[in-house]
Amino acid sequence: MCALPLKIVIAGPLGSSGGLEIHTGELESFLVSQGHRVLRINIISQNSSKGDAFQHISISNVAGMKGKVYKVFDWLKACFLTRIFAPDLLISTAIGSGYKWLSLFAGSRAFRIVQIVTDDYPQNDVGMLSLVQAYDAVAAQTSILKDQVRNKISSTVTCRVLPCFHQIHPTSRESILPHTLQGEIRVAYFGRLAGNKGLSLLLDAWARLDFSPQPKLDIWGSGNLLSDLEEKIRITSSLFSSVTLKGPYPCGPEYIKLLSSYHGLVLPSQSTEGLPLVLLEAASVGLPILTTTVGGIPDFANGNPDVIMVDIGLQSLSIGLNNFICFIHDGDKFDRSRHKSLFLRQYSRPAIESAWSQVLHSPSSYFSN
């Protein structure tokens, strides 16, 4: 058993632009709320200067050779600060060579945990094997990802499922009233405008829909695909009249209210996913969901009657999207109260905090079971 409070180093991205950033920030807040002394090491991102840790250091994320030099220097500073801090626990929420360095500087008394939240690394990858061997345990976000760690990296690695924190707190969730179907059907995407998210395919599938009145799609988020999506919408009349790029979305209670105003959520990811937090956030307000079989998503979607899960590719997405809109229109397939109940049982904040509390009580015992 570890003596409390603990000295904990948490290393990973921080900001509001993605699920891993949200998890890192929420995990930090939880650790501090439990009375632990936390040193945060984060890749510079939006709002990265904010946080609850008593001390933090940021790692440069600038392009070019000069940026690489700064990044190496920053990682070295982080490593030496970690050694001076002498943590009881090191938690890395991301992967890479810098996180391996940290583990080597953490000291002999530290229990080292690295979180793996996707399965997009090669089979028998030497770099991944070297990274996980530098840690005492691997925390996989879902059961599927745990199996992938053992199948693709090493069958002997110490690995157990440990959930990621989302931004849904009981006070924000309970204020949301059940949504009733009124007027035109409105569905939304929330997340990065990135190539792995399948947004171009989503627009192709959306253009094939034939409903009257025409349903509406709002795409929330920012990213490097923005200009491509804008052009595709501009030159396609059916998209121009029914799809809107909304830009960045709010955090916290305002985000939850925005989520609950839609009839459904679409997440057409084609690669590089774990269990996206937006799926849990949508479930917290009862939204039906259309998504794919990528990464750890099936651990959430299998057996969930309020989720339609399709294979990757345009044909599967088109069929699934058409069925999704039909089911929303008919009103007898999805049940928002049922979906919220599933969230409360399996993915609520207390459920996640309970798992992490077990880790903090005795990391070695948690990962040996």
Side-chain angles (χ1 to χ4, degrees):
M1 182 190 305
C2 291
L4 299 177
L6 301 175
K7 294 168 67 178
I8 302 173
V9 171
I10 177 170
L14 188 65
S16 57
S17 59
L20 193 54
E21 290 86 348
I22 294 295
H23 163 63
T24 304
E26 293 289 334
L27 173 59
E28 177 192 331
S29 296
F30 169 69
L31 296 174
V32 173
S33 74
Q34 299 303 296
H36 302 294
R37 194 175 184 207
V38 177
L39 166 63
R40 166 168 48 90
I41 298 168
N42 64 273
I43 301 295
I44 292 176
S45 183
Q46 183 182 356
N47 296 330
S48 62
S49 62
K50 297 180 180 179
D52 299 309
F54 87 101
Q55 190 174 7
H56 77 274
I57 183 170
S58 295
I59 308 298
S60 301
N61 193 23
V62 181
M65 182 57 66
K66 189 174 182 180
K68 290 181 180 179
V69 172
Y70 285 151
K71 193 170 186 177
V72 169
F73 182 69
D74 287 342
W75 272 117
L76 289 174
K77 287 194 298 183
C79 287
F80 283 114
L81 187 57
T82 297
R83 173 56 64 88
I84 294 170
F85 186 64
D88 301 297
L89 186 62
L90 167 64
I91 304 170
S92 293
T93 64
I95 58 177
S97 58
Y99 299 97
K100 179 182 175 181
W101 296 353
L102 278 182
S103 72
L104 301 177
F105 278 77
S108 59
R109 79 175 188 179
F111 191 92
R112 304 163 177 85
I113 301 169
V114 61
Q115 291 192 267
I116 294 181
V117 298
T118 67
D119 64 351
D120 61 332
Y121 43 86
Q123 185 82 28
N124 300 320
D125 183 72
V126 174
M128 284 295 292
L129 179 60
S130 176
L131 173 68
V132 301
Q133 287 178 338
Y135 282 78
D136 297 298
V138 174
Q141 189 188 11
T142 75
S143 295
I144 288 175
L145 298 181
K146 180 187 72 174
D147 293 341
Q148 291 287 58
V149 167
R150 290 178 170 162
N151 292 335
K152 296 175 71 173
I153 301 176
S154 171
S155 60
T156 61
V157 67
T158 301
C159 183
R160 188 172 174 188
V161 173
L162 189 59
C164 289
F165 279 86
H166 48 67
Q167 58 180 313
I168 309 301
H169 296 258
T171 52
S172 61
R173 186 194 68 250
E174 290 168 357
S175 65
I176 303 302
L177 297 175
H179 183 75
T180 55
L181 182 63
Q182 293 179 351
E184 63 190 10
I185 293 174
R186 298 170 60 248
V187 300
Y189 165 89
F190 289 86
R192 287 192 180 99
L193 308 186
N196 67 301
K197 298 298 186 179
L199 294 172
S200 182
L201 285 182
L202 175 60
L203 293 184
D204 291 338
W206 192 267
R208 295 182 176 187
L209 294 176
D210 183 18
F211 289 93
S212 182
Q214 192 175 36
K216 304 298 182 184
L217 169 64
D218 288 344
I219 297 177
W220 289 90
S222 57
N224 56 18
L225 282 188
L226 177 60
S227 59
D228 292 344
L229 298 177
E230 288 176 332
E231 178 64 12
K232 195 163 194 172
I233 292 170
R234 186 186 66 81
I235 64 176
T236 309
S237 59
S238 60
L239 298 178
F240 188 79
S241 60
S242 62
V243 180
T244 304
L245 297 173
K246 306 290 284 188
Y249 51 94
C251 298
E254 291 303 314
Y255 167 55
I256 304 309
K257 290 179 182 178
L258 181 61
L259 263 178
S260 70
S261 70
Y262 288 97
H263 297 102
L265 176 89
V266 290
L267 182 67
S269 300
Q270 300 295 297
S271 63
T272 317
E273 289 286 14
L275 173 53
L277 298 185
V278 68
L279 300 183
L280 309 185
E281 292 158 358
S284 76
V285 294
L287 280 189
I289 296 168
L290 170 67
T291 189
T292 62
T293 56
V294 172
I297 293 175
D299 279 323
F300 168 77
N302 282 333
N304 185 339
D306 297 300
V307 176
I308 292 180
M309 184 172 58
V310 300
D311 292 329
I312 60 174
L314 178 59
Q315 185 65 19
S316 295
L317 182 58
S318 294
I319 294 172
L321 183 60
N322 189 82
N323 291 338
F324 188 59
I325 299 299
C326 285
F327 290 147
I328 291 174
H329 181 270
D330 293 344
D332 56 2
K333 162 71 174 177
F334 301 124
D335 185 327
R336 291 179 70 121
S337 295
R338 178 179 61 201
H339 211 189
K340 290 174 69 173
S341 295
L342 180 143
F343 170 84
L344 289 173
R345 290 194 309 272
Q346 300 183 27
Y347 303 103
S348 66
R349 184 81 176 201
I352 295 172
E353 290 182 355
S354 175
W356 278 92
S357 293
Q358 294 178 54
V359 173
L360 298 175
H361 179 72
S362 179
S364 58
S365 296
Y366 182 87
F367 285 98
S368 65
N369 291 333

